[in-house]
Amino acid sequence: MDDSYEDLTECGLSDELEEQLIHTQRECTFMWTNKAGEAFGVIMSFLPKDGRLWLTAAERRARISAIRRFPRASVCVNSTGTSMGTGKTVTYKGSCVVHDSREVKDWFYPEFSRHLRPDDEAADEDAPTNGAPPASA
């Protein structure tokens, strides 16, 4: 084995550990670029569903207009603050879609709320009905 600390190829997560991380953690760092090409990032809650990460933000947030203009972004999820301990991280890059349809909002907000508050019976009642557009990545 090479003693190089620069070679991190053996540090990747197994598919099982990645899946566990995505379903254990509730927050990610969402990163995009503005008109000037400058990188921005913000911590956001997310919902893993059907191989996608779903997030939401108010329509007037700069990230929504940025994603509408250039739909490429990245999302980083790490294990800090979870039962998994520290040191586990996965980053995804790809295209995002901003969803405005009533059909998506009707399933997204209740499920998102339950995901963030799984032990709270009031989660469904607190889910917005006319909220910000969800985005999937």
Side-chain angles (χ1 to χ4, degrees):
M1 179 170 158
D2 184 3
D3 288 337
S4 172
Y5 292 106
E6 297 296 317
D7 182 5
L8 301 176
T9 55
E10 295 194 24
C11 294
L13 299 181
S14 67
D15 290 345
E16 295 80 17
L17 204 51
E18 180 179 343
E19 188 74 13
Q20 181 184 357
L21 173 59
I22 293 304
H23 286 88
T24 300
Q25 184 57 278
R26 300 289 189 262
E27 292 184 335
C28 65
T29 304
F30 179 74
M31 297 161 278
W32 70 98
T33 55
N34 68 8
K35 283 186 225 182
E38 299 167 319
F40 280 86
V42 64
I43 305 300
M44 296 180 71
S45 297
F46 72 94
L47 167 70
K49 182 175 174 71
D50 300 330
R52 298 183 186 278
L53 301 180
W54 291 78
L55 302 89
T56 186
E59 180 71 40
R60 293 184 184 203
R61 292 286 190 185
R63 69 193 86 136
I64 298 297
S65 58
I67 291 300
R68 287 187 190 281
R69 183 175 49 258
F70 182 72
R72 301 285 296 169
S74 59
V75 175
C76 180
V77 180
N78 73 53
S79 59
T80 301
T82 71
S83 59
M84 296 178 70
T86 61
K88 295 159 196 73
T89 302
V90 63
T91 302
Y92 304 100
K93 60 183 176 181
S95 296
C96 300
V97 175
V98 178
H99 299 274
D100 290 321
S101 75
R102 170 56 43 206
E103 179 182 2
V104 171
K105 290 179 180 184
D106 285 349
W107 73 258
F108 172 77
Y109 287 108
E111 196 164 333
F112 186 62
S113 186
R114 283 190 303 273
H115 177 68
L116 296 181
R117 299 169 48 192
D119 298 325
D120 188 347
E121 292 179 16
D124 282 335
E125 296 170 19
D126 291 345
T129 56
N130 288 316
S136 61

